[in-house]
Amino acid sequence: AAASGLGSKPARRRDDHGRGFPFALFTPPIHFARVTVLEVIQKSAEFLARKDVESPRLQTELLLAHLLKLPRMKLYLNFDRTLSDAELDALRALVRRRGQREPLQHIIGSTSFCGLEMSVNRNVLVPRPETELLAEAGWEFLSPLNSQPPTALDFGTGSGCIAIALAVKCPT
């Protein structure tokens, strides 16, 4: 009987949203309750905090702003906006990736460096704040050399952010 499945307990279906994930609470029940921006920020921040992600609310807001293609501050003006099922699913995936410690910059595909927006992905290191100091020292060194065009070589460094910053700050 056990081999044929007769008399055995039916297999339990795995929750599509992942056990313990905060949005499991937001799966639309029979009455199709909707989730607001504020609710999803709170629940996602709680999830990321449990995963020991630094600044969980900020990280959540940045992910949601990226997803909705809004400036982060506009989220505060739209706390009562409800998210569609597709938006919830997409945010769920982004928050899950962040909870697994994937860098925020890789998830959203960009980072700020010396006031410039740089594209990044899994194939490059995210520029560190200390690298901005190095770039600044570079353009301060190169700037006074107006009499002859400066030359700088930046190779094998990943995103190319230093070279880009130098080219922007020292265009001659």
Side-chain angles (χ1 to χ4, degrees):
S4 67
L6 297 175
S8 62
K9 292 182 181 178
R12 297 182 93 182
R13 187 167 176 243
R14 181 173 159 76
D15 181 3
D16 292 336
H17 302 294
R19 189 171 304 271
F21 196 74
F23 297 126
L25 301 171
F26 298 128
T27 302
I30 304 293
H31 57 75
F32 298 103
R34 301 313 252 158
V35 183
T36 66
V37 166
L38 180 59
E39 291 168 329
V40 81
I41 288 172
Q42 291 169 337
K43 292 296 181 185
S44 297
E46 290 170 10
F47 173 78
L48 292 178
R50 286 193 305 272
K51 296 289 188 173
D52 293 324
V53 173
E54 193 173 318
S55 305
R57 180 162 176 133
L58 173 63
Q59 300 276 312
T60 298
E61 290 173 0
L62 291 170
L63 288 170
L64 185 56
H66 168 73
L67 176 72
L68 299 177
K69 296 177 178 32
L70 293 172
R72 181 175 149 244
M73 290 301 138
K74 287 252 179 166
L75 294 176
Y76 290 93
L77 301 174
N78 290 291
F79 270 165
D80 293 333
R81 177 189 186 272
T82 58
L83 298 175
S84 69
D85 291 340
E87 290 168 334
L88 275 176
D89 288 342
L91 183 63
R92 185 178 299 120
L94 297 178
V95 171
R96 187 176 293 126
R97 287 170 60 188
R98 188 63 193 110
Q100 293 169 345
R101 310 305 244 173
E102 183 175 344
L104 175 72
Q105 298 87 341
H106 287 176
I107 296 170
I108 63 175
S110 68
T111 190
S112 179
F113 183 80
C114 295
L116 305 168
E117 198 64 22
M118 303 281 181
S119 292
V120 293
N121 61 34
R122 292 179 177 155
N123 300 320
V124 299
L125 296 172
V126 175
R128 299 182 49 80
E130 298 84 12
T131 309
E132 290 190 20
L133 298 173
L134 177 64
E136 184 178 350
W139 76 65
E140 286 176 356
F141 174 78
L142 294 172
S143 291
L145 305 176
N146 289 339
S147 60
Q148 61 189 69
T151 301
L153 181 61
D154 177 27
F155 61 93
T157 58
S159 67
C161 63
I162 296 173
I164 293 168
L166 290 176
V168 169
K169 302 291 185 173
C170 301
T172 56

